[in-house]
């Protein structure tokens, strides 16, 4: 039988949720405490957004037999994710990890997730806006897109990415479903005043969370087998976009300068980069911009939104599942047009529910 049961609640923008005890379900909370700082240089649209990551705390409930690990060896109910824990301290026990930290802050990047079912990492790109200096196009802007490699550990990347291992010992004869719930949130720290929240909300609207389900193995697998799980033409990725229909007045005004009509409460799709390229038109990724979309370098970023919480992220069997988590600022999001903002700490909570679908029909 399935134990998936969720109580609907009315959500307010940037409201810190209260977590409740649930039976026969698993929930996990990831807390990202960050400091946001704006640097006045060009990136995707009109400003580079720099988000300073302080620490990440990830918890799971062990009531239904789910445990979590950063190395595939030491499983527990809670892990703390920091530069030290995913870059330095983990190396001896997980020597070939490719975790990424953003010691200099998160900078705007763009992705549509994985490009194929054999890719175990997101295709991430950074971009710079330049101006033609000569010829008929002199003064016009163009976009350079460059792929970001994750072949080795790196504490100074533009985003955060790290491997996570789930151990499911519920005993289900078939795979169980894993969900995000309505308690997943991106919010400012409770001490941040309303004025700062308003100034920084456009940046909040461009935050993204990504997860890649890579592979799974048995509970008897060795650490080497667990850590080196690869895709077998079955990797899937999910991107969660919490504020897909929320647009600040500043974003609305700035979008209008590019000939784009933006309405608060209406969804605007994001066209993320999936291919590197040179000399792309600055507005070629905008919707309703009057410029044809460059399909050679941009594709629709399919995201999960709040109304999709009833859709499973993926399935996890009785055993060990390897995933990869991403957190970044999406530079092709229309709401990343943000300048003159002040720093403020934020929290990111991720709430997982696991059902017992493996027992259905027995």
């Amino acid at each position: 039988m399935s134990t998936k049961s969720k109580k609907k609640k009315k959500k307010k923008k940037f409201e810190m949720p209260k977590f409740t005890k649930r039976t026969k379900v698993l929930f996990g909370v990831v807390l990202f405490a960050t400091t946001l700082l704006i640097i006045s240089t060009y990136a995707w649209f009109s400003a580079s957004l720099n988000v300073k990551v302080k620490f990440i705390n990830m918890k799971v409930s062990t009531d239904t037999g789910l445990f979590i690990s950063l190395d595939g060896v030491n499983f527990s109910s809670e892990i703390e994710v920091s530069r030290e824990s995913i870059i330095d301290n983990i190396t001896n026990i997980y020597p070939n990890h490719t975790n990424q930290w953003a010691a200099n802050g998160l900078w705007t990047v763009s992705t549509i997730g994985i490009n194929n079912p054999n890719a175990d990492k997101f295709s991430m790109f950074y971009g710079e806006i330049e101006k033609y200096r000569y010829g008929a196009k002199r003064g016009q802007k163009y976009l350079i897109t460059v792929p970001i490699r994750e072949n080795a550990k790196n504490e100074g990347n533009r985003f955060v990415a790290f491997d996570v291992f789930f151990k499911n010992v519920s005993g289900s004869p078939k795979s169980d479903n894993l969900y995000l719930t309505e308690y997943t949130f991106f919010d400012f720290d409770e001490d941040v005043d309303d004025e700062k929240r308003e100034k920084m909300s456009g940046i909040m609207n461009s935050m993204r969370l990504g997860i890649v389900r890579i592979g799974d193995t048995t509970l008897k697998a060795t650490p080497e087998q667990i850590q080196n799980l690869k895709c077998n033409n079955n990797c899937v990725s999910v991107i969660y976009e919490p504020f897909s229909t929320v647009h600040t007045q500043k974003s609305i005004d700035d979008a209008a300068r590019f000939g784009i009509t933006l309405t608060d409460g209406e969804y605007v799709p994001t066209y993320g980069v999936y291919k590197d390229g040179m000399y792309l038109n600055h507005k070629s990724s905008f919707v309703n911009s009057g410029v044809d979309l460059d399909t050679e370098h941009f594709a629709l970023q399919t995201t999960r939104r709040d109304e999709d919480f009833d859709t499973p992220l993926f399935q996890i069997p009785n055993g060990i599942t390897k995933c990869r988590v991403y957190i970044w600022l999406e530079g092709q999001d229309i709401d990343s047009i943000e300048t003159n903002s002040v720093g403020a700490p934020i929290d990111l909570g991720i709430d997982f529910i696991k059902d017992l679908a493996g027992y259905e029909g027995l």
Side-chain angles (χ1 to χ4, degrees):
M1 64 177 178
S2 173
T3 61
K4 177 177 175 286
S5 175
K6 297 192 282 184
K7 184 184 295 184
K8 298 293 183 182
K9 76 182 182 80
K10 182 178 288 187
K11 293 182 65 180
K12 296 181 180 179
K13 182 182 177 184
F14 306 135
E15 181 179 9
M16 187 73 73
K18 297 182 183 299
F19 297 99
T20 59
K21 184 177 180 181
R22 306 172 186 182
T23 59
K24 296 185 178 180
V25 296
L26 170 92
F27 73 90
V29 178
V30 182
L31 178 66
F32 290 77
T34 66
T35 302
L36 286 80
L37 175 65
I38 302 307
I39 306 297
S40 57
T41 56
Y42 282 99
W44 296 103
F45 291 135
S46 61
S48 291
L49 312 181
N50 178 283
V51 181
K52 202 76 170 182
V53 179
K54 294 175 64 178
F55 71 89
I56 304 166
N57 190 39
M58 193 169 189
K59 300 178 182 178
V60 298
S61 168
T62 59
D63 293 348
T64 55
L66 196 74
F67 300 85
I68 192 169
S69 173
L70 284 173
D71 53 33
V73 178
N74 301 298
F75 288 87
S76 65
S77 62
E78 181 175 358
I79 55 176
E80 181 175 308
V81 182
S82 64
R83 182 187 63 80
E84 290 76 14
S85 67
I86 71 169
I87 299 295
D88 299 333
N89 301 341
I90 199 175
T91 300
N92 290 337
I93 199 167
Y94 188 3
N96 63 335
H97 77 80
T98 57
N99 294 339
Q100 310 292 303
W101 190 252
N104 297 317
L106 297 178
W107 295 82
T108 46
V109 294
S110 186
T111 181
I112 61 167
I114 60 174
N115 277 334
N116 63 76
N118 278 314
D120 59 1
K121 294 180 175 66
F122 276 23
S123 296
M124 285 285 193
F125 298 84
Y126 72 89
E128 295 179 352
I129 292 176
E130 301 288 349
K131 289 184 179 181
Y132 291 99
R133 296 184 178 182
Y134 310 101
K137 293 185 177 181
R138 181 179 178 181
Q140 295 182 27
K141 296 177 181 178
Y142 62 87
L143 177 67
I144 297 177
T145 58
V146 182
I148 304 174
R149 307 301 181 189
E150 297 178 62
N151 299 329
K153 65 179 182 180
N154 185 358
E155 65 178 89
N157 213 323
R158 299 167 181 258
F159 55 89
V160 172
F162 55 94
D163 294 335
V164 169
F165 302 87
F166 293 100
K167 179 187 286 187
N168 183 10
V169 293
S170 63
S172 299
K174 297 181 180 179
S175 295
D176 301 323
N177 294 311
L178 191 69
Y179 301 83
L180 278 179
T181 81
E182 68 270 24
Y183 296 108
T184 297
F185 69 93
F186 290 64
D187 199 354
F188 291 104
D189 184 83
E190 61 183 0
D191 294 330
V192 178
D193 59 42
D194 292 339
E195 182 179 356
K196 286 186 178 180
R197 287 171 182 253
E198 182 64 26
K199 289 182 178 180
M200 298 295 290
S201 58
I203 295 173
M204 184 74 76
N205 295 343
S206 298
M207 297 290 287
R208 296 288 196 277
L209 166 73
I211 304 173
V212 185
R213 185 196 187 283
I214 298 173
D216 45 61
T217 186
T218 68
L219 296 171
K220 296 181 179 180
T222 65
E224 184 178 7
Q225 291 172 326
I226 294 169
Q227 293 171 354
N228 290 285
L229 282 167
K230 301 295 184 182
C231 302
N232 185 20
N233 203 38
N234 61 349
C235 277
V236 295
S237 65
V238 178
I239 295 174
Y240 175 56
E241 180 184 0
F243 302 117
S244 56
T245 62
V246 181
H247 314 293
T248 67
Q249 186 60 50
K250 187 179 190 317
S251 293
I252 294 172
D253 293 341
D254 286 346
R257 294 192 294 107
F258 291 95
I260 303 168
T261 300
L262 194 62
T263 303
D264 187 32
E266 294 185 5
Y267 173 63
V268 176
T270 299
Y271 284 83
V273 179
Y274 73 97
K275 183 179 179 181
D276 57 326
M278 302 288 285
Y279 305 109
L280 304 179
N281 186 288
H282 177 46
K283 296 197 295 184
S284 61
S285 64
F286 285 156
V287 179
N288 300 323
S289 64
V291 178
D292 291 337
L293 183 69
D294 185 349
T295 56
E296 287 297 312
H297 298 90
F298 297 93
L300 178 65
Q301 187 186 81
T302 303
T303 61
R304 294 285 182 88
R305 295 182 275 168
D306 289 354
E307 59 264 34
D308 300 320
F309 285 138
D310 288 331
T311 303
L313 294 173
F314 42 76
Q315 293 186 320
I316 53 175
N318 189 68
I320 297 174
T321 301
K322 180 181 180 180
C323 297
R324 190 166 178 86
V325 176
Y326 286 83
I327 183 71
W328 76 99
L329 282 170
E330 177 52 58
Q332 290 299 120
D333 188 312
I334 190 66
D335 294 294
S336 68
I337 304 178
E338 187 76 13
T339 57
N340 300 322
S341 295
V342 294
I346 67 170
D347 299 329
L348 165 59
I350 305 171
D351 189 21
F352 294 103
I353 283 183
K354 182 186 77 69
D355 65 15
L356 294 178
Y359 287 110
E360 287 183 349
L362 297 182

